[in-house]
Amino acid sequence: MENCIFCKIAKGELPSYKIYEDDQFIALLDIHPISRGHILVIPKQHHRWVHDIASFGDYWEIARKSALASQKAMNAQWVQYFTHGLIPHAHIHVVPRYDSIEKGRVLPEKVLSFPKEEMEEIAEKIRKGF
Ligand SMILES: [Zn+2]
């Protein structure tokens, strides 16, 4: 789809911090992370909603692997998943959490920013554990 940021990333027209890639899906770091190691899992083909993806189980398996890899690599307490449709290309958020699950907010409210070198380091760490 034209002017879709995730389609452009999938085609390699925009740079990204990739964690994982196969013929259908890509896991990458969110460039507007709400936690250190915040991952997005996207299909390479344009789909509006997560539930539009026929291989739904395979899709969530990549999210599961992303969660396990990020939890281990980033030493997270727990990992949160969520989806929404604010960007009109399906994506699953995988968010490593460092706060106590009992005391934690449903979602961290602050968008964080890490320098490019640190984003590359985080991606490399998680990639190794995938
Ligand atoms: Zn798209």
Side-chain angles (χ1 to χ4, degrees):
M1 192 185 179
E2 229 176 289
N3 295 323
C4 170
I5 189 166
F6 291 153
C7 282
K8 286 182 179 174
I9 286 172
K11 287 180 199 152
E13 293 171 7
L14 285 176
S16 63
Y17 301 100
K18 277 184 198 156
I19 305 294
Y20 171 85
E21 180 174 12
D22 63 24
D23 56 339
Q24 286 191 87
F25 307 111
I26 298 173
L28 62 149
L29 291 184
D30 192 322
I31 58 166
H32 301 294
I34 56 172
S35 86
R36 193 184 176 81
H38 179 174
I39 296 169
L40 299 175
V41 185
I42 63 169
K44 285 184 168 177
Q45 273 197 335
H46 187 87
H47 292 284
R48 176 64 180 93
W49 300 103
V50 165
H51 54 252
D52 290 335
I53 297 164
S55 49
F56 191 73
D58 294 339
Y59 185 32
W60 279 93
E61 178 61 15
I62 305 304
R64 189 181 77 87
K65 286 181 176 168
S66 299
L68 293 174
S70 67
Q71 186 168 28
K72 196 173 158 196
M74 307 308 296
N75 207 16
Q77 295 287 309
W78 54 292
V79 181
Q80 178 174 34
Y81 305 85
F82 67 93
T83 71
H84 58 65
L86 297 180
I87 294 172
H89 180 127
H91 55 293
I92 301 170
H93 292 263
V94 179
V95 182
R97 298 287 299 262
Y98 307 96
D99 50 351
S100 153
I101 194 163
E102 290 83 13
K103 294 178 188 162
R105 291 183 176 273
V106 173
L107 280 178
E109 287 171 0
K110 228 173 107 187
V111 174
L112 308 172
S113 175
F114 302 105
K116 188 177 186 285
E117 301 75 40
E118 201 171 344
M119 289 291 275
E120 280 165 1
E121 259 176 49
I122 294 168
E124 178 63 22
K125 258 189 179 177
I126 300 173
R127 202 179 300 126
K128 278 184 185 162
F130 206 91

